[in-house]
Amino acid sequence: MLSDEEGQQIGKEEEHRWQETHSAVVKEIRRSLSDFDQDRKLARELTSQIVASHREEDKAALASDEAVAHGLTKLRKDKSDCLENLEEQPYFARVITLEDGKQIEFRLGTASLPSQRIIDWRKAPISKLFYDYKEGEDFSETIQGRDREGIIELRRSYHGKQKDLHIIETAQGNLYRQEGVWKRGDGNEPLSRNSGQDGHLPPILSLITPEQFRLITRDPKKPIVIQGIAGSGKTTVALHRLAWLLHKDNGGIRPEKSLVVMFNRSLKAYVETTLPELDIKDVPIRTFYQWANQIVTELAGPRPVGPFKKSRELELFKSSAICLEYLGKYVEAFPKRGSNLIDDLFSFFAFLAEQELFWPKWEEIRIQLREQVKQKVCEAQDDPILLHLVYAEHGYYPVKNPKSLGVCDHIVIDEAQDFGIVEIRALLNALDRDRTVTIVGDIAQKIVMGRNFESWEEMLKDAGFAETTPVTLTVSYRTTREIMEFASHLRKDNACNPDSTKRRGPEPSYIRADSPRTLPHFAGQWIAARMKENRNALSCLICRRPKEAEQLVEVLRKIGFPSVRLGHRDQFDFSPGMIVTNIHQVKGLEFRNVLIVEPSEQNYNSRSEEDRNLLYVGITRAEVCLDFIGCEPMTRLLPRTESF
């Protein structure tokens, strides 16, 4: 444990080192931009000379010089882009090794700058010394073809922005800069986030465990499947793997040919704010149905839409492995089908309706399929089935528009538990030859009950990855022990272990309102208290349904909280402040403070698995403060404690 005096000395030394490094980065950026401008000017002059030249031999010589100048221009631009990441945060880790009596220092950042001993963290061999070893441990590694042995003499990590250093993590304890003074931390603040980072996926590069680092840097040609508890960093680890694969020394995949598939539009908007910080540029992010709709529209044109009776059993069947199996039988039985994709879809449904299948309420499903064929209407869930019909015909998706992403180098599938195998296989069919994919999810957070996802084992077998074993992440970086203990009451499958986090915080509490009329006033008091604690925090009031969120925002604005924002689909603003939204929108998001509105038995039926999972998702969005407010009888899913 560090003394106050030792902490102050370390803090000042590290702060000075950080600021010196940042100044050097800024100077290098200016030099690089100046060189870039000169090279670009030269390239333009050479182009003008080529146009003005009349002799072919002169044109050839000038063209060669022009190509070199343009090449240099691109290199300078790429270098400047990389250095801009270092300007935001020069490095996040520092290591000193002792080898044969000689000290060797290096720092890890999101790009390399040799003059400051900063190494891109994606250089896996040297990064292993930080991720695989603790301070004081002996190491033995082969780095760049050379055997190296020694001791990790110093291992520290850092959180800061531009020239300001905020947190130093040492083997003896963590230091926080508060009001110009370095103080020892109490361990209750989330290390993965600074006060100015609310509204973004937290940077976890310095917190990645050896297991996670091996996962991120695993063979780029093998599929990776990650399952993990809420707040364990599943999505962030998957995106860091994508960043690692995009590096030219690793997977060499092309950003424009990569695809990140998010569960909903709000999570897509959330992740879009973070990718540039991970040096993930020009990588398309789509929800599944945005991606599928774009391809199907290009290949089949607009689909006829309209209402028809549909049960959850039909939804489950259309997303199941049985549906895919019978699609294969249909294609085999009718090898010469018409070129009209929509007619092909209805013919397949008619074929299904003639089968005798062992499936819950099959007779009811047959009637619904026949009704859909009779009305000749499509729904969004038919798009992946149309994709499978296309793939069965061509062996790929023959789209001409590159933005349709018919062929991908790498795909990240987030929240996989809310997809069926029909959707997952449709995505895998878009992969190029090496089937490089990262799949993440958590069955405890399954909230789309109309998708057939029984287990990881079944999904992997149906996806053709039977030999792939999911990696489980069990440490929660997001929430406090008090919140995890609360969440554990909702899980009967031991999916949530309070021991997964050591950080402590306030006990969750229940605010009882007298009536629906007074509830917004009590909610307003909660908002005022959270704003007083930290104006830079991002907080969320979570309602059960969209209409309730809209009504609450309207009332809160009338009673003196005009800055409260409504969050719905991709209409989310993740800057500090107060968001009101409904529970289906918060999947994958996180907030410093969470207030769950009206957790009644009517809103969260204790006999419903879907409601149990929804409430679990809502509770585990909170980082520090979790409270509830309502006037109706509380759901039996929640524990009865002194605070309730």
Side-chain angles (χ1 to χ4, degrees):
M1 177 69 72
L2 293 170
S3 68
D4 290 340
E5 186 177 342
E6 289 171 329
Q8 215 24 266
Q9 183 177 348
I10 290 173
K12 288 180 179 178
E13 290 173 355
E14 292 288 5
E15 189 172 17
H16 178 70
R17 181 179 292 107
W18 176 279
Q19 290 174 349
E20 275 193 333
T21 306
H22 183 265
S23 296
V25 169
V26 171
K27 287 179 182 177
E28 188 63 29
I29 290 174
R30 289 171 180 165
R31 186 183 302 116
S32 181
L33 287 174
S34 175
D35 292 342
F36 167 71
D37 288 338
Q38 291 177 17
D39 290 336
R40 185 170 57 175
K41 182 179 179 181
L42 175 60
R44 288 174 175 170
E45 288 175 354
L46 289 169
T47 301
S48 299
Q49 290 178 35
I50 290 173
V51 172
S53 178
H54 299 290
R55 297 190 345 162
E56 290 301 320
E57 55 267 34
D58 291 340
K59 285 186 176 182
L62 288 168
S64 176
D65 291 342
E66 181 199 33
V68 171
H70 279 295
L72 284 172
T73 301
K74 185 180 184 305
L75 287 173
R76 305 278 194 202
K77 182 67 168 63
D78 292 344
K79 181 181 179 181
S80 297
D81 291 343
C82 291
L83 288 174
E84 285 177 3
N85 294 328
L86 295 184
E87 185 182 12
E88 279 298 299
Q89 178 167 331
Y91 51 92
F92 63 84
R94 189 166 72 93
V95 175
I96 297 178
T97 63
L98 185 63
E99 304 174 43
D100 295 328
K102 181 181 178 182
Q103 283 188 334
I104 301 174
E105 177 186 348
F106 69 89
R107 305 165 193 178
L108 294 180
T110 54
S112 292
L113 185 58
S115 64
Q116 295 300 311
R117 298 185 293 281
I118 301 174
I119 307 298
D120 192 321
W121 72 272
R122 292 171 292 187
K123 300 280 189 179
I126 194 72
S127 295
K128 285 182 68 176
L129 296 182
F130 173 75
Y131 287 113
D132 282 2
Y133 298 93
K134 296 179 180 179
E135 189 172 300
E137 289 185 344
D138 296 335
F139 70 88
S140 178
E141 294 288 345
T142 301
I143 298 173
Q144 294 181 334
R146 186 166 67 90
D147 293 337
R148 291 176 59 173
E149 294 182 354
I151 300 173
I152 304 296
E153 194 169 75
L154 181 141
R155 178 191 183 277
R156 290 177 183 168
S157 53
Y158 309 85
H159 300 270
K161 186 172 183 180
Q162 296 180 350
K163 64 180 179 59
D164 297 321
L165 181 61
H166 302 299
I167 303 173
I168 307 166
E169 298 175 42
T170 78
Q172 296 77 34
N174 302 320
L175 300 170
Y176 297 80
R177 193 176 191 278
Q178 298 174 351
E179 298 177 352
V181 178
W182 285 98
K183 297 181 180 180
R184 288 177 294 151
D186 58 11
N188 291 329
E189 184 70 11
L191 292 177
S192 60
R193 189 185 298 285
N194 300 329
S195 61
Q197 290 172 327
D198 278 20
H200 295 72
L201 278 172
I204 66 164
L205 276 172
S206 62
L207 300 176
I208 290 172
T209 65
E211 178 189 32
Q212 292 170 345
F213 183 69
R214 287 191 288 272
L215 185 62
I216 288 168
T217 58
R218 186 179 287 184
D219 186 344
K221 297 191 183 301
K222 287 187 177 180
I224 299 293
V225 179
I226 307 169
Q227 59 178 347
I229 64 171
S232 60
K234 299 180 297 296
T235 301
T236 312
V237 169
L239 294 175
H240 280 82
R241 174 164 173 78
L242 175 59
W244 183 80
L245 289 170
L246 286 167
H247 193 275
K248 57 181 174 48
D249 292 345
N250 301 323
I253 63 176
R254 296 165 291 181
E256 71 277 5
K257 284 292 186 180
S258 301
L259 172 64
V260 177
V261 179
M262 290 288 145
F263 168 69
N264 59 22
R265 293 182 186 178
S266 55
L267 182 54
K268 171 178 174 283
Y270 184 60
V271 170
E272 281 175 335
T273 66
T274 301
L275 290 191
E277 297 172 15
L278 300 179
D279 197 25
I280 299 177
K281 299 171 183 175
D282 303 320
V283 173
I285 309 178
R286 306 276 192 275
T287 66
F288 173 81
Y289 284 101
Q290 285 175 334
W291 171 77
N293 176 71
Q294 188 165 354
I295 293 181
V296 173
T297 299
E298 181 175 341
L299 297 177
R303 275 79 75 207
V305 295
F308 69 96
K309 187 176 181 180
K310 179 179 68 170
S311 63
R312 175 164 289 183
E313 285 73 19
L314 177 59
E315 288 185 23
L316 287 166
F317 178 78
K318 283 186 175 182
S319 66
S320 70
I322 297 294
C323 182
L324 275 188
E325 178 185 339
Y326 274 83
L327 187 144
K329 292 181 178 180
Y330 165 74
V331 170
E332 185 178 346
F334 303 98
K336 295 183 178 180
R337 307 183 309 281
S339 60
N340 188 299
L341 262 179
I342 307 302
D343 290 343
D344 202 13
L345 176 72
F346 293 140
S347 296
F348 170 54
F349 287 163
F351 170 81
L352 280 175
E354 298 302 318
Q355 309 304 310
E356 297 292 340
L357 300 183
F358 184 71
W359 189 269
K361 299 185 180 180
W362 178 244
E363 285 303 318
E364 180 182 325
I365 292 173
R366 292 168 83 165
I367 293 171
Q368 292 171 3
L369 285 170
R370 285 170 177 155
E371 182 64 22
Q372 186 176 356
V373 171
K374 180 181 178 182
Q375 294 189 31
K376 291 192 178 300
V377 292
C378 296
E379 59 168 335
Q381 199 181 353
D382 295 332
D383 279 356
I385 298 176
L386 284 164
L387 289 177
H388 283 285
L389 288 169
V390 170
Y391 191 81
E393 179 72 19
H394 300 278
Y396 69 106
Y397 301 137
V399 292
K400 295 181 179 179
N401 184 352
K403 292 185 178 180
S404 294
L405 295 168
V407 180
C408 298
D409 290 350
H410 185 80
I411 299 177
V412 175
I413 305 175
D414 194 31
E415 305 291 357
Q417 75 279 352
D418 284 314
F419 296 110
I421 192 61
V422 170
E423 288 99 338
I424 290 174
R425 283 283 295 273
L427 282 164
L428 296 180
N429 287 342
L431 285 171
D432 213 345
R433 295 180 298 276
D434 293 323
R435 291 172 69 83
T436 157
V437 63
T438 302
I439 302 174
V440 301
D442 175 16
I443 292 180
Q445 297 185 63
K446 179 177 175 60
I447 63 173
V448 181
M449 297 302 167
R451 294 298 178 270
N452 196 271
F453 189 106
E454 295 296 332
S455 68
W456 284 104
E457 290 73 19
E458 285 294 316
M459 185 278 289
L460 291 171
K461 183 183 73 174
D462 293 335
F465 297 143
E467 297 181 1
T468 300
T469 302
V471 178
T472 302
L473 304 182
T474 58
V475 177
S476 176
Y477 295 107
R478 179 186 301 147
T479 59
T480 63
R481 184 181 181 87
E482 287 75 10
I483 293 171
M484 291 302 281
E485 285 176 347
F486 214 83
S488 69
H489 287 279
L490 291 165
R491 306 308 317 168
K492 296 179 179 178
D493 50 9
N494 297 319
C496 178
N497 181 6
D499 293 334
S500 66
T501 179
K502 305 300 181 185
R503 193 163 54 85
R504 306 308 297 256
E507 290 281 351
S509 66
Y510 185 83
I511 304 167
R512 183 166 298 282
D514 302 328
S515 66
R517 184 181 294 275
T518 61
L519 187 149
H521 294 272
F522 285 103
Q525 293 175 9
W526 183 89
I527 291 172
R530 301 292 81 76
M531 294 291 287
K532 185 177 180 180
E533 289 171 357
N534 188 343
R535 287 196 165 274
N536 292 321
L538 178 64
S539 305
C540 188
L541 290 77
I542 303 175
C543 300
R544 180 63 174 85
R545 297 171 184 84
K547 189 66 176 176
E548 294 161 7
E550 293 174 12
Q551 292 170 346
L552 182 57
V553 167
E554 185 178 349
V555 176
L556 285 171
R557 288 173 176 171
K558 286 180 179 178
I559 63 174
F561 298 94
S563 61
V564 168
R565 308 189 296 266
L566 178 67
H568 185 63
R569 295 187 177 177
D570 49 2
Q571 301 302 310
F572 264 83
D573 176 358
F574 293 106
S575 59
M578 290 286 165
I579 293 177
V580 181
T581 188
N582 67 290
I583 199 148
H584 278 92
Q585 301 296 317
V586 299
K587 186 70 161 298
L589 308 183
E590 51 192 58
F591 308 91
R592 187 170 293 259
N593 309 301
V594 166
L595 180 66
I596 295 182
V597 179
E598 203 60 87
S600 64
E601 181 68 22
Q602 182 178 354
N603 281 339
Y604 300 97
N605 190 317
S606 55
R607 295 186 296 274
S608 166
E609 180 186 1
E610 179 179 3
D611 287 353
R612 178 184 298 274
N613 291 356
L614 278 169
L615 194 53
Y616 175 76
V617 166
I619 286 172
T620 54
R621 299 311 94 196
E623 292 180 332
V624 176
C625 175
L626 169 69
D627 295 309
F628 301 80
I629 186 171
C631 57
E632 300 294 331
M634 191 169 61
T635 175
R636 288 188 289 274
L637 290 170
L638 294 176
R640 268 55 180 173
T641 67
E642 293 182 4
S643 303
F644 275 65

